[in-house]
Amino acid sequence: MSAFLTLDAVSFKTSDGHPLLDNLTLAFGAERTGLVGRNGVGKTTLIRLMLGELRPASGAVAVRGHVGVLRQALSPPPGARVGDLLGVSESLARLDRIAAGQGRDDDFADADWALEARLAEALAEVGLADLDLDRPAPELSGGQVTRVALAGLLVAQPDLLLLDEPTNNLDAEARALVIRVLRRWKGGAIVVSHDRELLRAMDRIVELTSLGARTYGGNYDLYAARKAEEAAAAARDLAEAERALARVGREAQQARERKDRRDAAGKRFAAKRSEPKIMLGAMAERAEMSGGRAQLLAERQAAAAEADLAAAQGRLERSRRLGFDLPSCGLPGGRTVLAFEDVAFGYPGGPPLITGLDLRLTGPERVAVTGANGSGKTSLIRLATGQLTPGSGRVTRGVEAALLDQQTAMLGDDETLAQAFRRLNPEASDNTARAALARFLFRGAAADRQIGSLSGGERLRAALACVLNATRPPQLLILDEPTNHLDLDSIAAVEAALGGYDGAILVVSHDRDFLDAIGITREVRLGQPPADDLS
């Protein structure tokens, strides 16, 4: 089958003339494609080009068939009903008029007789079989809104689905539903995501970089394996280029030494012999020309070796993930970090969210808090930080803690990195602040960047730099869905950094790959009996 959507030599520049996409050629047909790439590389721009919301500077975008879109930020308008969110209210009203004997000619002409059956099947597919279509849409949770919107796409039966971060903010059950829907989908799909579990349901991965787009056959695991192979090959190429440059340098030095010895011998010969000066001059000229050719050859070899080295370094830099280390916090192994004793909590007028919770973190434990959306995970975090007070029971905080939420709210958009660091660490000098930021890869002028210009991964890294370089680094990190707005490279960097952290971690996350990577030792599932120790 021919492609549903093609991009032919598409280029795009930002409003200030910066080239973002250059000569991009891609085709999307009846396969599931995961679109990945670092934040800021142009994924959102590419989506808007596909949808016709932006025009390319050059090249063409062609669409054959119908494209259904699920956007990342969904917010039902005031007064909207579930049926409106599904996009079926008008069609259902038409069927109701026909059933009541009030149908007009155009109702019969436009009636979708199979709609009700498709609607029931779609709602069951996303786990909302009993949802009232007249329910006000703004009453739905964020996860329910996403699932309803996905059901609407299933009802509409487009040729190609375009999903932008469909599992962000979804709990484990809802994420599994989205993945199941995509595995059963028979049409084409383009899925922008950093969710590794979701990307495992793809047929291919397209990685967008500043150099263009590269396609990898297979799902995320095959893509990750290929990327690891490329990184290893790049490291080998770099080592070989370094050896080649050193060899060229040695050979050039040896050639210079041989020339110096010949020149010295020639001078001794000229001093001893009585040949006419014209003959000695010709001999010297031949030696000079020979030496010049050798020097030129050596320079060319050195330039070629240096070019190969620069290319190898570039390939390795592209294959490397962003890495940074966290400083030691010196947490003793037996210290009580945090304790909940028979804690209960509920908001006034609402049902109890947490009842009889007993939880103790000792030493550098790593505890994950999981559960369905609305089960009280955020409330537990706020109880741990003292932002909320339990209705009964007691919360004991034994060490200094730092909360890093999804929005990194401790950082102000209008301040620079250096300003944020000194505000959060008032005892630090400007030099101290810049040195601390440099350890987290914000070197030189990067320390003067405004917080609002940072990507999600950069914001989290900046927040870690600010809290962990304090005079007394926190011995407990509390993380609320830390991977929600990070790209794959940033997630890998954060996982590696947290893997070497010697303090305690309390984390809320639905990302099972992330929890496994940072070495969670215990899991607390709200709304269910406590899980067994995972260590």
Side-chain angles (χ1 to χ4, degrees):
M1 181 179 290
S2 59
F4 297 125
L5 190 150
T6 59
L7 297 96
D8 184 16
V10 167
S11 297
F12 184 83
K13 296 182 179 179
T14 60
S15 57
D16 60 0
H18 174 69
L20 189 60
L21 302 173
D22 182 43
N23 198 34
L24 197 63
T25 297
L26 289 168
F28 300 92
E31 72 276 308
R32 294 175 291 256
T33 299
L35 181 61
V36 303
R38 290 185 178 181
N39 290 337
V41 79
K43 298 190 299 295
T44 300
T45 298
L46 181 58
I47 290 174
R48 297 187 66 192
L49 286 166
M50 291 175 177
L51 297 175
E53 298 173 357
L54 292 175
R55 293 176 61 84
S58 61
V61 179
V63 178
R64 183 184 65 82
H66 174 54
V67 178
V69 184
L70 181 65
R71 298 186 184 274
Q72 185 175 160
L74 295 172
S75 180
R81 303 285 174 175
V82 169
D84 302 325
L85 197 58
L86 286 160
V88 299
S89 293
E90 184 176 339
S91 297
L92 289 175
R94 181 180 295 116
L95 293 175
D96 287 343
R97 288 195 297 272
I98 293 173
Q102 300 171 357
R104 304 183 296 267
D105 289 344
D106 59 334
D107 286 334
F108 285 93
D110 297 333
D112 182 351
W113 303 105
L115 174 62
E116 291 176 327
R118 290 203 316 278
L119 180 59
E121 182 179 351
L123 287 173
E125 183 84 354
V126 300
L128 298 173
D130 299 324
L131 187 63
D132 183 0
L133 300 187
D134 288 326
R135 181 177 174 181
E139 291 183 359
L140 300 177
S141 69
Q144 288 174 321
V145 168
T146 298
R147 289 156 72 178
V148 169
L150 183 58
L153 291 178
L154 296 178
V155 171
Q157 296 180 324
D159 300 293
L160 181 68
L161 294 176
L162 205 166
L163 312 181
D164 188 7
E165 298 288 4
T167 58
N168 258 12
N169 303 311
L170 297 186
D171 58 31
E173 179 187 359
R175 287 161 75 112
L177 281 168
V178 171
I179 293 169
R180 187 178 68 193
V181 166
L182 277 170
R183 287 189 185 279
R184 295 179 179 178
W185 181 249
K186 300 302 182 184
I190 303 171
V191 183
V192 180
S193 181
H194 61 262
D195 184 335
R196 288 162 286 188
E197 186 177 359
L198 175 59
L199 292 172
R200 290 188 180 99
M202 300 295 103
D203 301 311
R204 65 173 186 164
I205 304 293
V206 171
E207 182 184 38
L208 191 64
T209 73
S210 58
L211 301 177
R214 184 168 181 186
T215 300
Y216 296 80
N219 65 6
Y220 171 79
D221 290 330
L222 290 173
Y223 160 77
R226 287 285 304 279
K227 294 290 288 183
E229 291 170 1
E230 289 174 3
R236 289 194 298 270
D237 290 345
L238 178 59
E240 175 56 34
E242 289 172 338
R243 287 194 295 269
L245 182 60
R247 184 174 62 251
V248 168
R250 288 194 303 272
E251 291 172 352
Q253 178 63 30
Q254 290 167 358
R256 285 192 296 270
E257 291 172 354
R258 286 194 298 270
K259 181 179 181 300
D260 290 343
R261 288 194 295 270
R262 287 196 302 268
D263 288 348
K267 290 177 182 178
R268 290 193 298 271
F269 173 81
K272 293 178 181 177
R273 301 295 295 267
S274 58
E275 280 83 353
K277 289 185 177 181
I278 189 169
M279 290 183 62
L280 293 173
M283 293 170 65
E285 184 178 354
R286 285 196 300 271
E288 186 79 20
M289 291 177 63
S290 176
R293 286 194 296 269
Q295 178 65 24
L296 182 60
L297 176 61
E299 290 174 355
R300 287 176 177 172
Q301 289 175 332
E306 288 173 355
D308 289 343
L309 177 61
Q313 287 172 332
R315 288 193 295 272
L316 185 60
E317 185 60 30
R318 288 192 295 273
S319 66
R320 277 176 176 159
R321 290 192 170 100
L322 189 64
F324 57 96
D325 297 321
L326 302 186
S328 173
C329 68
L331 175 63
R335 173 74 60 83
T336 296
V337 173
L338 179 70
F340 283 65
E341 301 174 64
D342 196 24
V343 168
F345 177 80
Y347 290 98
L353 286 173
I354 297 173
T355 57
L357 177 62
D358 290 306
L359 172 64
R360 181 179 294 271
L361 275 72
T362 304
E365 283 195 278
R366 295 164 180 243
V367 176
V369 180
T370 61
N373 288 342
S375 62
K377 300 186 300 296
T378 299
S379 298
L380 186 149
I381 280 181
R382 291 176 177 170
L383 288 164
T385 60
Q387 294 173 317
L388 292 177
T389 302
S392 62
R394 184 171 64 175
V395 177
T396 303
R397 303 169 193 89
V399 301
E400 190 74 21
L403 168 65
L404 300 179
D405 57 15
Q406 296 178 46
Q407 291 76 33
T408 54
M410 67 172 60
L411 304 176
D413 285 348
D414 295 332
E415 60 185 348
T416 68
L417 279 162
Q419 289 169 343
F421 188 97
R422 296 194 66 185
R423 174 177 57 79
L424 294 167
N425 301 283
E427 75 287 351
S429 67
D430 186 62
N431 284 340
T432 301
R434 292 178 183 276
L437 291 167
R439 287 195 291 272
F440 281 69
L441 306 184
F442 295 108
R443 301 186 180 97
D448 295 315
R449 289 180 61 187
Q450 281 203 317
I451 298 295
S453 71
L454 303 180
S455 69
E458 289 171 329
R459 286 185 72 110
L460 182 58
R461 181 157 43 96
L464 286 168
C466 290
V467 301
L468 290 173
N469 282 287
T471 304
R472 293 178 57 193
Q475 296 179 326
L476 169 63
L477 284 181
I478 302 176
L479 308 172
D480 184 10
E481 295 290 359
T483 64
N484 257 8
H485 302 291
L486 304 188
D487 56 44
L488 289 171
D489 284 340
S490 295
I491 291 173
V494 171
E495 287 173 348
L498 292 177
Y501 176 58
D502 62 355
I505 294 175
L506 180 66
V507 55
V508 170
S509 178
H510 298 300
D511 187 338
R512 179 55 54 185
D513 286 277
F514 174 77
L515 296 179
D516 291 342
I518 66 172
I520 290 299
T521 55
R522 208 155 30 108
E523 186 171 326
V524 176
R525 296 187 183 95
L526 295 186
Q528 299 183 25
D532 292 335
D533 195 297
L534 302 181
S535 58

